[in-house]
Structure formats: structure tokens, C-alpha cells
Amino acid sequence: MCATDPTAGAAIEVTGLTRVFGRGEARIAGADDITLSIPAGQSVAVTGRSGSGKSTLLHLLGAIERADAGTVLVDGDDITALRRKRLTAYRRSVGFVFQRFHLLPALTVLDNVLAPVLPRRAAYDKHERARELLRAVGLEGRENAHPGQLSGGQQQRVALARALIGTPRLLLADEPTGALDSATGAAVMDLIIRLGREHGTTVLIATHEEAVAEGCDRRLRMQDGRVIADVGNRDDTA
Ligand SMILES: Nc1ncnc2c1ncn2[C@@H]1O[C@H](COP(=O)(O)OP(=O)(O)OP(=O)(O)O)[C@@H](O)[C@H]1O
Ligand SMILES: [Mg+2]
């Protein structure tokens, strides 16, 4: 599908990024002075134990969590400094995939994919793109099914199509295979990476699974809110 899609991924520059939860004795840095640079179109696995800060980093990059210090430049714009209207626009430009698919059970598969763009006037034009995306994730013919009629892997593929409907420059996936068996999870991962590459989308995937991390261009390992290892999986990256 849309191999000629002109979308380019976002280039990301993170400097001194810090997010602190709690106070006093209970004070925990979810992100502790993180500095890193992600070139447009790169796929990055974010690994590390539970509580190491993977979700916090993704939430900060998606601007669904506020930073206490530091900057996040996305194609040169500091998203930590955005005011409400532009913040909303920025969040809309990011695709999110979560461990639990968060599909709306009352809507059909097609309407779930369209949900992020439905309130907008151009949504009608998005129907064809939604169908194309469902084809790309292997769900052609299931447009009118409801999420409850699908397997976990199929639901996650719907969530992926939904995350891509707005043609995001940045795709953030937080343990997208965590609720799936390993074979289904691997298929969903392959799709995320393949579709990301086809569109030139920058992709960050938080994961516990080594096999998932190996499929990405680069891996970041986190511990206590810091990036403690940063390695390229391929010679030409990172
Ligand atoms: N809203 C919050 N309030 C208080 N502490 C939080 C909050 N969100 C995250 N934390 C803390 O920040 C640290 C990093 O959490 P985070 O969710 O980013 O970890 P994670 O690597 O995604 O873990 P997991 O693998 O379990 O999803 C943890 O110690 C966590 O308890
Ligand atoms: Mg997490």
C-alpha cells in the first residue's frame, strides 16, 4: 500500500529530559536527565525492567506527560513549550499503540480506525485510507466486525491501523505485543516495523522482549529513568 506516501518521519532531539514523580522519600525520577538524538525514520526499541522509565519516555515524547526539565525538539520545534492549541495538534500528529488495544467495543473495526479523525470535516476522505490500512494489516473483509469478535492479535492490528490513520511522523508503541502470544506478537511487530519503514515514520517501541528489540534499527536500554545503553542493530544506524 501507499509505498509512495510522501510522509517523512520526525527527527527528535532530546536534551536533559527529566520527569519526577512524588516528593521527599517517595521521589522517583521516571526520566532522569535523558539526552539523545533520533534521526527521522529510525525504529528504536526501548528496553529495561519494569519501572525503568520506558513508558515515561514515550509519554514525554508524545506530550501526554509534562516534562519537569529539558527539551524535546521534534523537527526543530520544542514540544515541551507548546501551548494548548498547538499541543493538541502535536498530539494528533503522533500515533500511539498501547499494550491493551483500547478499541471502542461499540464501534465497527472500520469506525475504530476512523475514530481519531472522525470529528474532522475531511474524515470522509479518510474512508479509503482506513480500508487501505486494514488491508495492509491483513484485516480486509473484517471492516464491519466488532472488536469483541476479533482475536487479540487482530485487535492490535486494528489499533495499529488506527494509529496510522492520521499519517503520523512519529509512532509510539508501548509494549504492543505484551498482551499477545509470541507468534502473534512477532507478526504485529513485523507489521509495525514494516509499515513504519514504508512511510519513513520514526518509531519507538517499549518492550520487554529481546526478539522485538532485535527487529528495530537501534535499542536503548533504560534503568532508573536513564538510558544506560544505546546500540545500533544495523551498521548504518545509531
Ligand atoms: N503517574 C505516576 N505517579 C507516580 N509514579 C509514577 C507514575 N508514572 C510512573 N511512575 C514511576 O516512574 C518510574 C518509571 O515508570 P514507567 O511506567 O515509565 O516504567 P516502565 O519502564 O514503563 O515500566 P513497565 O515495564 O512496568 O511498564 C516507576 O518507578 C514508576 O513507579
Ligand atoms: Mg511501561
Side-chain angles (χ1 to χ4, degrees), residues 53-141:
K54 303 181 296 295
S55 296
T56 303
L57 177 60
L58 264 51
H59 294 167
L60 289 167
L61 295 184
I64 54 176
E65 186 109 63
R66 126 195 108 67
D68 291 307
T71 56
V72 177
L73 302 188
V74 177
D75 289 335
D77 287 332
D78 183 3
I79 59 154
T80 66
L82 294 179
R83 300 293 193 114
R84 235 176 67 194
K85 214 169 163 187
R86 292 192 56 212
L87 195 57
T88 306
Y90 172 71
R91 285 185 188 130
R92 271 211 196 114
S93 77
V94 176
F96 285 100
V97 180
F98 301 98
Q99 177 171 354
R100 310 213 163 273
F101 329 119
H102 297 303
L103 299 176
L104 298 165
L107 298 188
T108 64
V109 161
L110 184 67
D111 286 343
N112 265 284
V113 175
L114 284 165
V117 293
L118 269 185
R120 281 179 273 165
R121 236 189 301 167
Y124 189 76
D125 311 332
K126 294 284 185 186
H127 273 72
E128 192 41 44
R129 176 165 169 77
R131 288 180 187 282
E132 252 177 46
L133 284 167
L134 284 170
R135 244 192 318 275
V137 300
L139 288 175
E140 189 170 22

Coordinates of all heavy atoms in Angstrom, one line a residue, residues 53-141:
G53 N 11.4 3.3 33.2 CA 11.1 4.6 32.6 C 10.7 4.6 31.2 O 10.6 5.6 30.5
K54 N 10.4 3.4 30.6 CA 10.1 3.2 29.2 C 8.8 4.0 28.9 O 8.8 4.8 27.9 CB 9.9 1.8 28.8 CG 11.1 0.9 29.2 CD 10.9 -0.6 28.8 CE 9.8 -1.3 29.5 NZ 10.1 -1.5 31.0
S55 N 7.8 3.8 29.6 CA 6.5 4.4 29.3 C 6.7 5.9 29.5 O 6.1 6.7 28.7 CB 5.4 3.9 30.2 OG 5.2 2.6 29.9
T56 N 7.4 6.3 30.6 CA 7.5 7.8 30.8 C 8.2 8.4 29.6 O 7.7 9.5 29.2 CB 8.4 8.0 32.1 OG1 7.8 7.3 33.2 CG2 8.5 9.4 32.4
L57 N 9.2 7.8 29.1 CA 9.9 8.4 27.9 C 8.9 8.5 26.8 O 8.9 9.6 26.1 CB 11.1 7.6 27.5 CG 11.9 8.0 26.3 CD1 12.4 9.5 26.5 CD2 13.0 7.1 25.9
L58 N 8.2 7.5 26.5 CA 7.2 7.5 25.4 C 6.2 8.6 25.6 O 5.8 9.4 24.7 CB 6.6 6.2 25.2 CG 7.2 5.3 24.1 CD1 8.7 5.1 24.2 CD2 6.5 3.9 24.0
H59 N 5.7 8.7 26.8 CA 4.7 9.7 27.1 C 5.2 11.1 27.0 O 4.5 12.0 26.5 CB 4.1 9.5 28.6 CG 3.4 8.2 28.7 ND1 3.0 7.7 30.0 CD2 2.9 7.3 27.8 CE1 2.4 6.6 29.8 NE2 2.3 6.3 28.5
L60 N 6.5 11.3 27.4 CA 7.1 12.7 27.2 C 7.2 13.0 25.7 O 7.0 14.1 25.3 CB 8.4 12.7 27.9 CG 8.3 12.7 29.5 CD1 9.7 12.4 30.1 CD2 7.8 14.0 30.0
L61 N 7.6 12.0 24.9 CA 7.8 12.3 23.5 C 6.5 12.5 22.8 O 6.4 13.3 21.8 CB 8.5 11.1 22.8 CG 10.0 10.8 23.3 CD1 10.6 9.7 22.4 CD2 10.8 12.1 23.1
G62 N 5.4 11.9 23.3 CA 4.1 12.1 22.8 C 3.4 13.3 23.4 O 2.2 13.6 23.0
A63 N 4.1 14.0 24.3 CA 3.5 15.1 25.0 C 2.2 14.8 25.7 O 1.3 15.6 25.8 CB 3.3 16.3 24.1
I64 N 2.0 13.6 26.2 CA 0.9 13.3 27.0 C 1.3 13.3 28.5 O 0.5 13.1 29.4 CB 0.2 11.9 26.7 CG1 1.2 10.8 26.7 CG2 -0.5 12.0 25.3 CD1 0.5 9.4 26.4
E65 N 2.5 13.6 28.7 CA 3.0 13.8 30.1 C 3.9 15.0 30.0 O 4.6 15.3 29.0 CB 3.9 12.6 30.4 CG 4.4 12.5 31.8 CD 3.7 11.4 32.6 OE1 3.9 10.2 32.3 OE2 3.0 11.8 33.6
R66 N 3.9 15.9 31.1 CA 4.7 17.1 31.0 C 6.1 16.9 31.6 O 6.2 16.1 32.5 CB 3.9 18.2 31.8 CG 4.6 18.9 32.8 CD 3.6 19.7 33.7 NE 3.5 19.0 35.0 CZ 4.4 19.0 35.9 NH1 5.6 19.4 35.7 NH2 4.2 18.4 37.1
A67 N 7.1 17.5 31.0 CA 8.4 17.4 31.5 C 8.7 18.4 32.6 O 8.1 19.4 32.6 CB 9.4 17.7 30.3
D68 N 9.5 18.0 33.6 CA 9.9 18.9 34.6 C 11.1 19.7 34.2 O 11.3 20.8 34.7 CB 10.2 18.1 35.9 CG 8.9 17.5 36.5 OD1 8.0 18.3 36.7 OD2 8.9 16.3 36.8
A69 N 11.9 19.2 33.4 CA 13.1 19.9 32.8 C 13.5 19.3 31.5 O 13.1 18.1 31.2 CB 14.2 19.8 33.8
G70 N 14.2 20.1 30.7 CA 14.7 19.6 29.5 C 13.8 19.9 28.3 O 12.8 20.5 28.4
T71 N 14.3 19.6 27.1 CA 13.6 19.9 25.9 C 13.5 18.7 25.0 O 14.3 17.8 25.1 CB 14.3 21.0 25.1 OG1 15.7 20.6 24.8 CG2 14.4 22.4 25.9
V72 N 12.4 18.7 24.2 CA 12.2 17.7 23.2 C 12.0 18.4 21.8 O 10.9 19.0 21.7 CB 11.0 16.8 23.5 CG1 10.8 15.7 22.3 CG2 11.2 16.0 24.8
L73 N 13.0 18.4 21.0 CA 12.7 19.1 19.7 C 12.2 18.0 18.7 O 12.9 17.0 18.5 CB 14.0 19.7 19.1 CG 14.7 20.7 20.0 CD1 15.9 21.4 19.2 CD2 13.8 21.8 20.4
V74 N 11.1 18.3 18.1 CA 10.6 17.4 17.1 C 10.6 18.2 15.8 O 9.9 19.2 15.7 CB 9.1 16.9 17.4 CG1 8.6 16.1 16.3 CG2 9.2 16.1 18.7
D75 N 11.4 17.8 14.9 CA 11.7 18.6 13.6 C 11.9 20.1 14.0 O 11.4 21.0 13.4 CB 10.5 18.5 12.7 CG 10.4 17.1 12.0 OD1 11.5 16.4 12.0 OD2 9.3 16.7 11.6
G76 N 12.7 20.3 15.1 CA 13.1 21.6 15.4 C 12.2 22.4 16.4 O 12.6 23.4 17.0
D77 N 10.9 21.9 16.6 CA 10.0 22.5 17.5 C 10.1 21.9 18.9 O 10.0 20.7 19.0 CB 8.6 22.4 17.0 CG 8.3 23.3 15.8 OD1 9.0 24.3 15.7 OD2 7.4 22.9 15.0
D78 N 10.2 22.8 19.9 CA 10.3 22.2 21.3 C 8.9 22.0 21.7 O 8.1 22.9 22.1 CB 11.0 23.3 22.2 CG 11.1 22.7 23.6 OD1 10.7 21.6 23.8 OD2 11.6 23.5 24.5
I79 N 8.5 20.7 21.8 CA 7.1 20.3 22.2 C 6.9 20.5 23.7 O 5.7 20.5 24.1 CB 6.8 18.9 21.8 CG1 7.7 17.9 22.4 CG2 6.8 18.8 20.2 CD1 7.1 16.5 22.6
T80 N 7.9 20.7 24.5 CA 7.7 20.9 25.9 C 7.2 22.3 26.2 O 6.8 22.6 27.2 CB 8.9 20.6 26.8 OG1 9.9 21.6 26.4 CG2 9.5 19.2 26.5
A81 N 7.4 23.2 25.1 CA 7.0 24.6 25.3 C 5.7 24.9 24.6 O 5.3 26.1 24.6 CB 8.1 25.5 24.8
L82 N 5.0 23.9 24.1 CA 3.8 24.2 23.3 C 2.6 24.6 24.2 O 2.4 24.0 25.2 CB 3.4 23.0 22.4 CG 4.3 22.6 21.3 CD1 3.8 21.4 20.6 CD2 4.6 23.8 20.3
R83 N 1.8 25.6 23.7 CA 0.6 25.9 24.4 C -0.6 25.1 23.9 O -0.4 24.4 22.9 CB 0.2 27.4 24.2 CG 1.3 28.4 24.7 CD 1.4 28.3 26.2 NE 2.2 29.4 26.6 CZ 1.7 30.4 27.4 NH1 0.4 30.5 27.7 NH2 2.5 31.4 27.8
R84 N -1.7 25.2 24.6 CA -2.8 24.2 24.4 C -3.1 23.8 23.0 O -3.2 22.6 22.6 CB -4.0 24.7 25.1 CG -4.5 23.6 26.1 CD -5.7 24.0 26.9 NE -6.8 24.2 26.1 CZ -7.9 24.8 26.5 NH1 -7.9 25.3 27.7 NH2 -9.0 24.9 25.8
K85 N -3.4 24.8 22.2 CA -3.9 24.5 20.8 C -2.8 23.7 20.0 O -3.1 22.7 19.4 CB -4.2 25.8 20.1 CG -5.4 25.7 19.2 CD -5.8 27.1 18.7 CE -6.7 26.9 17.5 NZ -7.1 28.2 16.9
R86 N -1.6 24.2 20.1 CA -0.5 23.6 19.3 C -0.2 22.2 19.9 O 0.2 21.3 19.2 CB 0.7 24.5 19.1 CG 0.3 25.7 18.2 CD 1.5 26.4 17.8 NE 2.5 25.6 17.1 CZ 3.8 25.8 17.2 NH1 4.3 26.8 17.9 NH2 4.7 25.0 16.6
L87 N -0.4 22.1 21.2 CA -0.1 20.9 21.9 C -1.1 19.8 21.4 O -0.7 18.7 21.1 CB -0.2 21.1 23.4 CG 0.3 20.0 24.3 CD1 1.8 19.8 24.1 CD2 0.1 20.4 25.8
T88 N -2.3 20.2 21.3 CA -3.4 19.3 20.8 C -3.0 18.8 19.4 O -3.1 17.7 19.1 CB -4.8 19.9 20.9 OG1 -5.0 20.4 22.2 CG2 -5.9 19.0 20.5
A89 N -2.6 19.8 18.6 CA -2.3 19.5 17.2 C -1.1 18.5 17.2 O -1.1 17.6 16.4 CB -2.0 20.8 16.4
Y90 N -0.1 18.8 18.0 CA 1.0 17.9 18.1 C 0.6 16.5 18.4 O 1.0 15.5 17.8 CB 2.1 18.4 19.0 CG 3.2 17.4 19.2 CD1 4.1 17.2 18.1 CD2 3.4 16.6 20.3 CE1 5.1 16.2 18.2 CE2 4.3 15.6 20.4 CZ 5.2 15.4 19.4 OH 6.1 14.4 19.5
R91 N -0.2 16.4 19.5 CA -0.6 15.0 20.0 C -1.3 14.3 18.9 O -1.2 13.1 18.7 CB -1.5 15.1 21.2 CG -0.7 15.5 22.4 CD -1.7 15.4 23.6 NE -1.0 16.0 24.8 CZ -1.6 16.9 25.6 NH1 -2.8 17.4 25.4 NH2 -0.9 17.3 26.7
R92 N -2.1 15.0 18.1 CA -2.8 14.4 17.0 C -1.9 13.9 15.9 O -2.2 13.0 15.1 CB -3.8 15.4 16.4 CG -5.1 15.4 17.0 CD -6.2 15.8 16.0 NE -7.4 16.2 16.7 CZ -7.9 17.4 16.8 NH1 -7.3 18.4 16.0 NH2 -8.9 17.7 17.5
S93 N -0.7 14.5 15.8 CA 0.2 14.1 14.8 C 1.0 12.9 15.1 O 1.9 12.4 14.4 CB 1.2 15.3 14.4 OG 2.2 15.4 15.4
V94 N 0.8 12.4 16.4 CA 1.6 11.2 16.8 C 0.7 10.0 16.9 O -0.5 10.1 17.3 CB 2.1 11.5 18.3 CG1 2.8 10.3 18.8 CG2 3.1 12.7 18.3
G95 N 1.2 8.9 16.4 CA 0.4 7.6 16.5 C 0.8 6.9 17.8 O 1.9 6.7 18.1
F96 N -0.3 6.4 18.5 CA 0.0 5.6 19.7 C -0.6 4.2 19.6 O -1.7 4.0 19.1 CB -0.7 6.3 20.9 CG 0.0 7.5 21.5 CD1 -0.5 8.7 21.1 CD2 1.1 7.4 22.3 CE1 0.1 9.9 21.6 CE2 1.7 8.6 22.8 CZ 1.2 9.8 22.4
V97 N 0.2 3.2 20.0 CA -0.3 1.9 20.2 C 0.0 1.4 21.6 O 1.2 1.6 22.1 CB 0.4 0.9 19.2 CG1 -0.2 -0.5 19.3 CG2 0.2 1.4 17.7
F98 N -1.0 0.9 22.3 CA -0.8 0.5 23.7 C -0.9 -1.0 23.8 O -1.4 -1.7 23.0 CB -1.8 1.2 24.6 CG -1.8 2.7 24.5 CD1 -2.7 3.4 23.7 CD2 -0.9 3.4 25.3 CE1 -2.7 4.7 23.6 CE2 -0.9 4.8 25.2 CZ -1.8 5.5 24.4
Q99 N -0.4 -1.5 25.0 CA -0.5 -2.9 25.3 C -1.9 -3.4 25.2 O -2.2 -4.5 24.6 CB 0.1 -3.2 26.7 CG 0.1 -4.6 27.1 CD 0.8 -4.9 28.3 OE1 1.5 -4.0 28.9 NE2 0.7 -6.1 28.8
R100 N -2.8 -2.7 25.9 CA -4.2 -3.1 25.8 C -4.8 -2.2 24.7 O -4.7 -1.0 24.8 CB -4.9 -2.9 27.1 CG -4.2 -3.6 28.2 CD -5.0 -4.2 29.3 NE -4.2 -5.1 30.0 CZ -4.0 -6.4 29.7 NH1 -4.7 -6.9 28.7 NH2 -3.2 -7.1 30.4
F101 N -5.5 -2.8 23.7 CA -5.6 -2.1 22.5 C -6.5 -0.9 22.5 O -6.4 0.0 21.7 CB -6.2 -3.2 21.5 CG -5.7 -4.6 21.8 CD1 -6.6 -5.6 22.1 CD2 -4.4 -4.9 21.8 CE1 -6.1 -6.9 22.4 CE2 -3.9 -6.1 22.2 CZ -4.8 -7.1 22.5
H102 N -7.3 -0.8 23.6 CA -8.2 0.4 23.7 C -9.1 0.7 22.5 O -9.2 1.8 22.1 CB -7.3 1.7 24.0 CG -6.5 1.7 25.3 ND1 -7.1 1.5 26.5 CD2 -5.2 1.8 25.5 CE1 -6.2 1.5 27.4 NE2 -5.0 1.7 26.9
L103 N -9.6 -0.4 22.0 CA -10.6 -0.2 20.9 C -11.9 0.1 21.5 O -12.2 -0.2 22.7 CB -10.7 -1.4 20.0 CG -9.4 -1.8 19.3 CD1 -9.6 -3.1 18.6 CD2 -8.9 -0.7 18.4
L104 N -12.8 0.8 20.8 CA -14.1 1.1 21.3 C -15.0 -0.1 20.9 O -15.3 -0.3 19.7 CB -14.6 2.4 20.7 CG -13.7 3.6 21.1 CD1 -14.0 4.8 20.2 CD2 -13.9 4.0 22.6
P105 N -15.6 -0.8 21.9 CA -16.3 -2.0 21.6 C -17.6 -1.9 20.8 O -18.0 -2.8 20.1 CB -16.6 -2.6 23.0 CG -16.4 -1.5 24.0 CD -15.5 -0.5 23.3
A106 N -18.2 -0.7 20.9 CA -19.5 -0.5 20.2 C -19.3 -0.1 18.8 O -20.2 -0.2 18.0 CB -20.3 0.6 21.0
L107 N -18.1 0.2 18.4 CA -17.8 0.6 17.0 C -17.3 -0.5 16.2 O -16.6 -1.4 16.7 CB -16.8 1.8 17.0 CG -17.1 3.1 17.6 CD1 -16.1 4.1 17.3 CD2 -18.5 3.6 17.2
T108 N -17.6 -0.5 14.9 CA -17.0 -1.5 14.0 C -15.5 -1.3 13.9 O -15.0 -0.2 14.3 CB -17.6 -1.4 12.6 OG1 -17.2 -0.1 12.0 CG2 -19.1 -1.5 12.6
V109 N -14.8 -2.2 13.3 CA -13.4 -2.2 13.0 C -13.1 -0.9 12.2 O -12.2 -0.1 12.6 CB -12.9 -3.4 12.3 CG1 -11.6 -3.3 11.6 CG2 -12.9 -4.6 13.3
L110 N -13.9 -0.7 11.1 CA -13.6 0.5 10.3 C -13.8 1.8 11.1 O -12.9 2.7 11.0 CB -14.6 0.5 9.1 CG -14.3 1.6 8.1 CD1 -13.0 1.4 7.3 CD2 -15.5 1.6 7.0
D111 N -14.8 1.9 11.9 CA -15.0 3.1 12.6 C -14.0 3.3 13.7 O -13.7 4.4 14.1 CB -16.5 3.1 13.2 CG -17.5 3.4 12.1 OD1 -17.1 3.9 11.0 OD2 -18.7 3.2 12.3
N112 N -13.5 2.2 14.3 CA -12.4 2.4 15.2 C -11.2 3.0 14.6 O -10.5 3.8 15.2 CB -12.0 1.0 15.8 CG -12.7 0.7 17.2 OD1 -12.4 1.3 18.2 ND2 -13.8 -0.1 17.1
V113 N -10.9 2.5 13.4 CA -9.7 3.1 12.7 C -9.9 4.5 12.4 O -9.0 5.4 12.4 CB -9.4 2.3 11.4 CG1 -8.3 2.9 10.5 CG2 -9.1 0.8 11.7
L114 N -11.2 4.9 12.0 CA -11.5 6.3 11.7 C -11.7 7.2 12.9 O -11.7 8.4 12.8 CB -12.8 6.3 10.9 CG -12.7 5.8 9.4 CD1 -14.0 5.6 8.8 CD2 -11.9 6.9 8.6
A115 N -11.8 6.6 14.1 CA -12.2 7.4 15.3 C -11.3 8.6 15.5 O -11.9 9.7 15.8 CB -12.2 6.5 16.5
P116 N -10.0 8.5 15.3 CA -9.2 9.7 15.6 C -9.5 10.9 14.7 O -9.2 12.0 15.0 CB -7.7 9.2 15.4 CG -7.8 7.8 15.5 CD -9.2 7.4 15.0
V117 N -10.0 10.6 13.5 CA -10.2 11.7 12.5 C -11.7 12.0 12.3 O -12.0 12.9 11.5 CB -9.5 11.4 11.1 CG1 -8.0 11.3 11.3 CG2 -10.0 10.0 10.6
L118 N -12.6 11.2 13.0 CA -14.0 11.4 12.7 C -14.5 12.8 13.0 O -15.4 13.2 12.2 CB -14.8 10.4 13.6 CG -15.1 9.0 12.9 CD1 -16.0 8.2 13.8 CD2 -15.7 9.2 11.5
P119 N -14.1 13.5 14.0 CA -14.7 14.8 14.3 C -14.3 15.8 13.2 O -14.9 16.9 13.2 CB -14.1 15.2 15.6 CG -13.5 14.0 16.2 CD -13.1 13.1 15.0
R120 N -13.4 15.4 12.4 CA -12.9 16.5 11.4 C -13.6 16.3 10.1 O -14.0 15.3 9.7 CB -11.4 16.4 11.2 CG -10.7 17.1 12.4 CD -9.3 17.0 12.3 NE -8.8 15.7 12.9 CZ -7.6 15.3 12.7 NH1 -6.7 15.9 11.9 NH2 -7.2 14.2 13.3
R121 N -13.7 17.5 9.4 CA -14.5 17.5 8.2 C -14.0 16.6 7.1 O -14.8 16.1 6.3 CB -14.6 19.0 7.7 CG -16.1 19.4 7.6 CD -16.2 20.7 6.9 NE -15.5 21.8 7.7 CZ -15.2 23.0 7.2 NH1 -15.6 23.3 6.0 NH2 -14.6 23.8 7.9
A122 N -12.7 16.5 7.1 CA -12.1 15.7 6.0 C -12.2 14.2 6.2 O -11.8 13.4 5.4 CB -10.6 16.1 5.9
A123 N -12.9 13.8 7.3 CA -12.9 12.4 7.6 C -13.5 11.5 6.5 O -13.0 10.4 6.3 CB -13.7 12.2 8.9
Y124 N -14.4 12.0 5.7 CA -15.0 11.2 4.7 C -13.9 10.7 3.7 O -13.9 9.6 3.3 CB -16.0 12.0 3.9 CG -16.8 11.1 2.9 CD1 -17.8 10.2 3.4 CD2 -16.5 11.1 1.6 CE1 -18.4 9.4 2.6 CE2 -17.1 10.2 0.7 CZ -18.1 9.4 1.3 OH -18.7 8.5 0.4
D125 N -12.9 11.6 3.4 CA -11.8 11.2 2.5 C -10.9 10.1 3.1 O -10.1 9.5 2.5 CB -10.9 12.4 2.2 CG -11.7 13.6 1.8 OD1 -12.8 13.4 1.2 OD2 -11.2 14.7 2.0
K126 N -11.1 10.0 4.4 CA -10.2 9.0 5.1 C -10.7 7.6 5.0 O -10.0 6.6 5.4 CB -10.1 9.4 6.6 CG -9.4 10.7 6.9 CD -7.9 10.5 6.7 CE -7.2 11.8 7.1 NZ -5.7 11.8 6.8
H127 N -12.0 7.4 4.6 CA -12.5 6.1 4.5 C -11.6 5.1 3.6 O -11.4 4.0 4.0 CB -13.9 6.1 3.9 CG -15.0 6.3 5.0 ND1 -15.1 7.5 5.6 CD2 -15.8 5.4 5.5 CE1 -16.1 7.4 6.5 NE2 -16.5 6.1 6.5
E128 N -11.2 5.7 2.5 CA -10.4 4.8 1.6 C -9.1 4.5 2.2 O -8.6 3.3 2.2 CB -10.2 5.5 0.2 CG -9.7 4.6 -0.8 CD -10.3 3.2 -0.9 OE1 -11.5 3.0 -0.7 OE2 -9.5 2.2 -0.9
R129 N -8.5 5.5 2.9 CA -7.2 5.2 3.6 C -7.4 4.2 4.7 O -6.6 3.3 4.9 CB -6.7 6.5 4.2 CG -5.4 6.3 5.0 CD -4.6 7.6 5.3 NE -3.6 7.4 6.2 CZ -2.5 6.7 6.0 NH1 -2.2 6.4 4.7 NH2 -1.6 6.5 6.9
A130 N -8.5 4.3 5.5 CA -8.8 3.3 6.5 C -8.9 1.9 6.0 O -8.3 1.0 6.5 CB -10.1 3.7 7.3
R131 N -9.6 1.8 4.8 CA -9.7 0.5 4.2 C -8.3 0.0 3.7 O -8.0 -1.2 3.8 CB -10.7 0.6 3.0 CG -12.1 0.7 3.5 CD -13.1 0.8 2.3 NE -14.4 1.1 2.7 CZ -15.2 0.2 3.3 NH1 -14.9 -1.1 3.4 NH2 -16.4 0.6 3.7
E132 N -7.5 0.9 3.2 CA -6.2 0.5 2.7 C -5.3 0.0 3.9 O -4.6 -1.0 3.8 CB -5.5 1.7 2.2 CG -5.3 1.8 0.7 CD -4.7 3.1 0.3 OE1 -3.7 3.5 0.9 OE2 -5.2 3.7 -0.7
L133 N -5.4 0.7 5.0 CA -4.6 0.4 6.2 C -5.1 -1.0 6.7 O -4.3 -1.8 7.1 CB -4.8 1.4 7.3 CG -3.9 2.7 7.1 CD1 -4.3 3.8 8.0 CD2 -2.4 2.4 7.2
L134 N -6.4 -1.2 6.7 CA -6.9 -2.5 7.2 C -6.5 -3.6 6.3 O -6.2 -4.8 6.7 CB -8.5 -2.5 7.3 CG -9.0 -1.7 8.5 CD1 -10.5 -1.5 8.5 CD2 -8.6 -2.5 9.8
R135 N -6.4 -3.3 5.0 CA -5.8 -4.3 4.0 C -4.3 -4.6 4.4 O -3.9 -5.7 4.5 CB -5.9 -3.7 2.6 CG -6.8 -4.5 1.7 CD -6.6 -4.2 0.2 NE -6.5 -2.8 -0.2 CZ -7.6 -2.0 -0.4 NH1 -8.8 -2.4 -0.2 NH2 -7.4 -0.7 -0.7
A136 N -3.6 -3.5 4.7 CA -2.2 -3.6 5.0 C -1.9 -4.4 6.2 O -0.9 -5.1 6.3 CB -1.5 -2.2 5.1
V137 N -2.8 -4.4 7.2 CA -2.6 -5.2 8.4 C -3.3 -6.5 8.3 O -3.5 -7.2 9.3 CB -3.1 -4.4 9.7 CG1 -2.3 -3.1 9.8 CG2 -4.6 -4.1 9.7
G138 N -3.8 -6.9 7.1 CA -4.4 -8.2 6.9 C -5.8 -8.4 7.4 O -6.2 -9.5 7.7
L139 N -6.5 -7.3 7.5 CA -7.9 -7.4 8.0 C -9.0 -7.0 7.0 O -10.1 -6.6 7.4 CB -8.1 -6.6 9.3 CG -7.3 -7.1 10.5 CD1 -7.4 -6.2 11.7 CD2 -7.9 -8.5 10.9
E140 N -8.6 -7.1 5.7 CA -9.6 -6.9 4.7 C -10.8 -7.8 4.9 O -10.6 -9.0 5.2 CB -9.0 -7.1 3.3 CG -9.8 -6.6 2.2 CD -9.1 -6.6 0.9 OE1 -8.1 -7.4 0.8 OE2 -9.5 -5.9 0.0
G141 N -12.0 -7.3 4.8 CA -13.2 -8.1 4.9 C -13.7 -8.1 6.3 O -14.8 -8.6 6.6

